[in-house]
Amino acid sequence: MSEHVPEPTPSRPAKQHTSRPARPRTVLLRGGEVHSPADPFATAMVVEGDRIAWVGEEGAADSFADGVDEVVQLDGALVTPAFTDAHVHTTATGLALTGLDLSGAGTLPEALGRIRAYADARPADRVLLGHGWDAGVWPEGRPPSRAELDEAAGGRPLYLTRVDVHSAVVTTALLDLVPGVRERPGFRADAPLTGDAHHAVRKAAYATLTPAQRTEAQTAALARAAALGIGTLHECAGPDISGEDDFTGLLALAREGAGPRVVGYWAEAVASAKDAQRIRELGAIGAAGDLFADGSLGSHTAHLHAPYADSPSSAGGTPSHTGVAHLRAEDIADHVAACTEAGLQAGFHAIGDAALTSVVDGVRAAAERVGLGRIRAARHRVEHAEMLTERTVAGFAELALTASVQPAFDAAWGGEDGMYAARLGADRARTLNPYAALLKAGVPLALGSDSPVTPLDPWGTVRAAVFHRTRAHGISARAAFTAHTRGGWRAVGRDDAGVLVPGAPADYAVWRTGELIVQAPDERVERWSTDPRSGTPGLPDLTPGNDLPVCLTTVVGGRTVFGPPNE
């Protein structure tokens, strides 16, 4: 392929069909590169209605040209399955896109200045909402004080989440709206709120959003996803994250069909068939997602076996803080057993090694109650799964737990000088996010962003998985791409999607990109896979520093949700 490819241009069909009975609309895409295991050298594809009908090479495409409703000339562009982002908070993502986003603030004074400007620009908002501060990258090394926030917000209620969304700083005016918050666990007089105190202020802050504001934020997030070639989002909602109206409103918006699909998870414990039915009535496919077993490393709330390296010291002068355990193994077993009995997918947020041990022990205990085969068939999932050990990786494989992971976390916070090393020490930090070990053990992977924690960025996510900050944990581009496309579908129980083969859903994206290669951490694999005899379809060169592919068109279920409309 040439390095610069013009945008694909739709042409009129060779024949107009006006009198025959209604039938699915057909589209032929030709003259490009089609990423398909059905034919590693495919250059053309036929879509019939909402399904892929044929994939093959250019010579055979001529036989379809006169019988379709539209021919799209790809002009060398790449066609791939649309991405699935397996962990998103859609409304919060939209609010970050349209509102107060501090992720780019380089200093504390810059952050406070942004808050002042935002408050001045939104005089009618009952509560000011913002996201993305990270004191670890500021030269001041500390979050804003409550007095500084009160001044910057002009005395108004303000809720401002840390980049990991597991703690927040707030103004006095917002605290005053939440009775009893100062007595809740996680409240500190002049420090970020965590735990129950954080959940209480978040609920109060988001409750002030009007339906119009919610819809505006959700629409912005869905549009952004579509523009990045994302065809499906897994919304990870729950009572400690977003309200039921937010969740059901998002699912209804997605059903209107103007953007990506949304698969909903509701993070609430299930103890009975009645509880499971309520989850289904909300529109969720599982009681999973961010059902918290622990918190996050950045906020010192992920649950660890050994103390944080930078935690407050005990009387003996050694670190003593090991984070927060929200669920015991017994709680996990009860939830998983009840979900399995009800035919509902279960899952948990777990980051620290102690939390992941509890998850594996709990799911194994559930298997002893209801049977290992039923547990494996249910495809229960674990979000983040960062601080795995050989034992917990083996447990994931034994129990067929899907690891729903975010490679951008490693890109942002890994490395010898990153946040992980500061929190855990360099030796423990090197063990995090062991994607190669997971794949070697046969653990299913689904990739996502946890947006707005890290941005929607599918090719950047694949790049981060390949070029892991700890080299031994990196995986091939092919494996990462599969985990970010087909892996997300498999995580929701669908094995027939996320790949361009006849019969699969017509969810695909068209890209302007450079030369296609086969890329893997091991050069021997690259040399073998590049040989045409391997039949391995290529992908864009994701080497850091290279431009990432640019999305030209995104199609979901045969409908164009981004790019030139079907004629």
Side-chain angles (χ1 to χ4, degrees), residues 149-176:
L149 289 176
D150 288 346
E151 184 277 328
R156 297 165 62 189
L158 167 69
Y159 171 73
L160 196 59
T161 49
R162 189 186 180 278
V163 63
D164 62 5
V165 197
H166 283 272
S167 59
V169 290
V170 302
T171 56
T172 304
L174 181 57
L175 291 176
D176 292 343

Side-chain angles (χ1 to χ4, degrees), residues 296-366:
S296 74
L297 292 166
S299 291
H300 290 94
T301 52
H303 188 209
L304 312 182
H305 283 304
Y308 283 87
D310 60 350
S311 70
S313 298
S314 64
T318 58
S320 59
H321 182 58
T322 57
V324 180
H326 295 300
L327 296 172
R328 304 168 302 163
E330 294 84 353
D331 303 320
I332 291 163
D334 290 344
H335 177 71
V336 171
C339 286
T340 306
E341 293 280 12
L344 191 69
Q345 194 176 23
F348 305 92
H349 160 120
I351 288 179
D353 52 358
L356 288 160
T357 296
S358 295
V359 167
V360 169
D361 289 349
V363 178
R364 187 176 286 119

Side-chain angles (χ1 to χ4, degrees), residues 392-414:
T392 48
V393 168
F396 271 50
E398 171 198 355
L399 301 163
L401 295 173
T402 294
S404 171
V405 299
Q406 295 74 42
F409 287 8
D410 173 73
W413 302 310

Side-chain angles (χ1 to χ4, degrees), residues 438-452:
L438 287 165
L439 287 180
K440 184 177 180 181
V443 175
L445 285 186
L447 304 192
S449 62
D450 199 9
S451 180

